[in-house]
Amino acid sequence: MSSGRSSAEKVGGGNEDANPAERGDLSETNSFLKVQLDRQLKNRHVAMISIGGVIGTGLFLGTATALMNGGPVGLLLGYLFIGTICYCVMISVGEMIAYLPIPGGHIKLAERFVDPSFAFAMGWNFWYGWTLTLPAELSAAATLIDFWSPGVSNAVWITICLVVAIGINISGVGVYGEAEFVFSSIKVITITGLIILGIVLDLGGGRNHDRIGFRYWRNPGPFVQYAGISGATGQFLGWSRVVTQAAFSYVGTEVVAIAAAEAKNPRRNLPKAVRRVYIRILLFYIGGVFVIGLLVPSNNALLNLNAGNASASPFVIAINQAGIKGLPSVINAALLTSAWSAASSDLYIASRGLYGLAVSGNAPKIFMRTSRTGLPYVSVIFCSAFSLLSYMVVNNSSGQVFTWFSSMTATSGLTSWFAVGVTYIRFRKGFLRQGYDRSRLPYASRFQPYGAWWAVIGSALTLTFSGWQVFLKDSWSAATFFTNYLPIILFPIFYVVSKAATRAPLVKPDDMDFTSDIAEIEDITSVFEYHSRMSLK
């Protein structure tokens, strides 16, 4: 392992002997990496993707069901609970991916630090989850558009949104980065404005001058007695339903790991993105759901997305209640762009995940094909085909279809978070065993390894209770059961099948690979630092 230790001593610094860096030759440095993806994501792209990239219908629309099930305090506590898990996942994946920003992200790292079968199960679970998130966002877009045109077939709106998402992705990562920068900026401005507006309305600043305060915390109450079950049991069950929906809202923050292979100067930009994630959690999610709980009573009929009359987010419901004309349509238009943005991000993540599976040998090699500009077009086209599932809204309520897909995505995402925690624990064990110095890492969190352990335990607990309501008396629903528990069942199946086929052993800490790709990554870092110094002169 001597070569590994010598490489580890250079963690966090450039390679002084790298000839491409001395010449400022980025194209030659990129050719060192045995992949075809193009590094076109700039610092502002990575920063905005990490802050607002996957803020979407989970927050703007899915909170309706969460408020209905848990009440305002249950809603707030549920988002706080999942927010802590999300933060721990981010610091775990951030530490690993800032050190090794390679194609396939944390999925490829699982192959190095756990075992190939674990990476196989993790990769296909990841792809499955994000492929199904796309139709969830498209069905949500149809629900939002129903606010204006309830008589028009949802298939029309699905088609329009689908063309936008596919068009952005097929145009290349540069176009995707710019589009996400614009869309994410709109979402950040929108959610910030809605929080401020919500506080004003709560204090009586609307046209009806109704000072709401904490009225809805008292009546109908801070918690909801789920399914009419009295006492703490009913409140806990309602809160657990909030937790599953909150997971759908948060899942996707780890997208920076997948974007690492296409990020410029990843060792500088990725740590910055990870450090900003707490802003998103505290301001956008916690602040947003707190305001929602103040403005809309949990017994409002429009919060039921499974009903045929659900047509707006809680924010739009609140603005309508305040008697402000015109603004609901403006807000709904902004929320619609968030659905487009999230759908575009979903397709990007799913296609890069499939590309990473192919690079690892866990998917057909055809998915490795890229255009001359570095676009994995075969993966994009294949993942786009699954978006046709969103046309299920033609025969069902768009809100109901959104609920189905969001449940599948939430449990799949929680399974990925569980796997990220396991991968980091193994990464850290091998890193320290081989004598590496964590203080020299591009990014290191003082909360580790406790954060990774909480990611594992918290995700497992949430998964266990994700679909409990089907076991209540006279509450069995096959759709609810399978949409919540299918990803949990598939993960061990994927693992066992792969283990039986490959018989690859668990990677021992002394045998973990911390050296491959390090020289190439340091060369890329040196080149970007060289260009940065030259631009300042």
Side-chain angles (χ1 to χ4, degrees):
M1 305 305 299
S2 59
S3 61
R5 291 192 175 92
S6 63
S7 179
E9 293 173 358
K10 295 186 289 184
V11 172
N15 185 347
E16 297 296 332
D17 299 324
N19 290 331
E22 294 174 358
R23 297 191 300 270
D25 189 354
L26 179 60
S27 60
E28 184 172 339
T29 305
N30 266 331
S31 70
F32 290 165
L33 288 177
K34 301 176 179 62
V35 296
Q36 301 297 322
L37 298 183
D38 195 11
R39 293 185 181 270
Q40 293 187 24
L41 293 180
K42 301 175 183 178
N43 180 37
R44 60 186 176 89
H45 295 153
V46 174
M48 192 56 70
I49 289 172
S50 68
I51 294 175
V54 288
I55 291 177
T57 52
L59 177 60
F60 292 130
L61 185 63
T63 44
T65 301
L67 177 59
M68 181 185 70
N69 288 330
V73 176
L75 175 68
L76 181 61
L77 293 178
Y79 269 77
L80 280 169
F81 177 80
I82 293 296
T84 62
I85 302 175
C86 175
Y87 180 76
C88 291
V89 169
M90 284 304 297
I91 61 175
S92 299
V93 77
E95 191 166 312
M96 293 187 292
I97 209 65
Y99 174 58
L100 281 170
I102 57 178
H106 49 292
I107 299 169
K108 187 66 176 176
L109 296 180
E111 180 180 321
R112 290 193 184 192
F113 307 126
V114 185
D115 73 11
S117 296
F118 193 81
F120 178 87
M122 188 177 178
W124 281 108
N125 173 80
F126 181 87
W127 174 82
Y128 158 89
W130 283 106
T131 301
L132 292 181
T133 308
L134 177 56
E137 298 291 354
L138 294 174
S139 59
T143 301
L144 291 170
I145 297 175
D146 277 343
F147 175 79
W148 291 300
S149 305
V152 180
S153 172
N154 284 324
V156 175
W157 313 127
I158 293 292
T159 302
I160 294 173
C161 296
L162 187 57
V163 169
V164 172
I166 295 176
I168 290 173
N169 274 269
I170 210 69
S171 299
V173 67
V175 173
Y176 166 77
E178 289 297 338
E180 275 308 292
F181 181 80
V182 174
F183 281 143
S184 294
S185 298
I186 293 174
K187 286 190 288 187
V188 169
I189 293 171
T190 300
I191 187 62
T192 303
L194 286 173
I195 291 173
I196 295 172
L197 175 62
I199 294 173
V200 171
L201 294 178
D202 184 69
L203 296 176
R207 290 187 62 184
N208 56 12
H209 301 294
D210 181 18
R211 186 180 178 89
I212 302 172
F214 288 86
R215 178 190 308 165
Y216 301 133
W217 286 41
R218 297 187 298 271
N219 183 26
F223 294 95
V224 169
Q225 304 298 145
Y226 190 87
I229 300 173
S230 62
T233 301
Q235 294 175 356
F236 171 78
L237 294 178
W239 172 80
S240 68
R241 293 303 302 141
V242 173
V243 166
T244 302
Q245 191 284 319
F248 173 71
S249 299
Y250 279 109
V251 164
T253 49
E254 69 277 14
V255 64
V256 293
I258 297 299
E262 296 173 281
K264 293 183 176 181
N265 200 358
R267 282 197 164 173
R268 185 192 70 179
N269 295 336
L270 292 177
K272 289 182 179 179
V274 172
R275 292 188 185 102
R276 293 187 182 109
V277 74
Y278 76 92
I279 299 175
R280 173 184 172 185
I281 293 173
L282 292 177
L283 177 60
F284 302 141
Y285 284 104
I286 306 305
V289 298
F290 174 74
V291 169
I292 287 172
L294 293 176
L295 297 178
V296 183
S298 58
N299 58 2
N300 189 304
L302 291 176
L303 294 174
N304 185 5
L305 294 183
N306 293 331
N309 64 342
S311 60
S313 79
F315 288 110
V316 176
I317 293 173
I319 295 170
N320 271 330
Q321 287 181 167
I324 303 176
K325 296 181 179 180
L327 185 58
S329 292
V330 175
I331 297 301
N332 223 52
L335 301 190
L336 181 59
T337 64
S338 78
W340 285 350
S341 169
S344 176
S345 292
D346 299 338
L347 183 54
Y348 171 82
I349 300 168
S351 61
R352 270 47 177 192
L354 184 58
Y355 176 89
L357 283 168
V359 169
S360 300
N362 293 328
K365 296 298 182 184
I366 190 173
F367 295 119
M368 289 179 60
R369 290 189 179 180
T370 61
S371 66
R372 285 180 292 181
T373 59
L375 173 72
Y377 63 93
V378 177
S379 293
V380 172
I381 293 171
F382 182 77
C383 293
S384 298
F386 287 87
S387 62
L388 299 179
L389 290 170
S390 56
Y391 286 100
M392 290 170 61
V393 303
V394 175
N395 296 321
N396 298 277
S397 162
S398 57
Q400 185 178 56
V401 173
F402 169 74
T403 301
W404 289 341
F405 282 124
S406 62
S407 294
M408 297 174 79
T409 300
T411 50
S412 176
L414 286 166
T415 304
S416 290
W417 285 3
F418 172 87
V420 166
V422 172
T423 303
Y424 177 81
I425 291 169
R426 296 282 300 167
F427 166 86
R428 180 186 174 92
K429 184 175 182 179
F431 200 82
L432 297 178
R433 176 74 64 85
Q434 295 185 25
Y436 291 143
D437 184 2
R438 285 189 71 246
S439 66
R440 307 276 309 272
L441 285 169
Y443 171 78
S445 173
R446 64 181 180 274
F447 297 112
Q448 296 291 15
Y450 311 107
W453 278 108
W454 175 236
V456 170
I457 296 170
S459 298
L461 287 173
T462 306
L463 285 168
T464 302
F465 291 98
S466 62
W468 59 265
Q469 71 271 24
V470 300
F471 301 110
L472 294 176
K473 185 179 179 180
D474 300 325
S475 298
W476 173 258
S477 169
T480 301
F481 177 83
F482 284 107
T483 55
N484 280 278
Y485 288 114
L486 184 60
I488 306 174
I489 298 170
L490 285 178
F491 190 89
I493 291 176
F494 283 140
Y495 182 80
V496 171
V497 170
S498 176
K499 182 67 74 173
T502 63
R503 299 190 181 277
L506 194 71
V507 180
K508 296 179 180 179
D510 290 328
D511 297 331
M512 291 179 183
D513 180 10
F514 292 96
T515 59
S516 296
D517 301 317
I518 289 295
E520 294 89 339
I521 293 166
E522 288 177 344
D523 287 334
I524 289 176
T525 302
S526 298
V527 168
F528 280 112
E529 289 178 350
Y530 171 83
H531 282 294
S532 178
R533 290 195 300 269
M534 292 299 100
S535 65
L536 294 175
K537 291 185 178 180

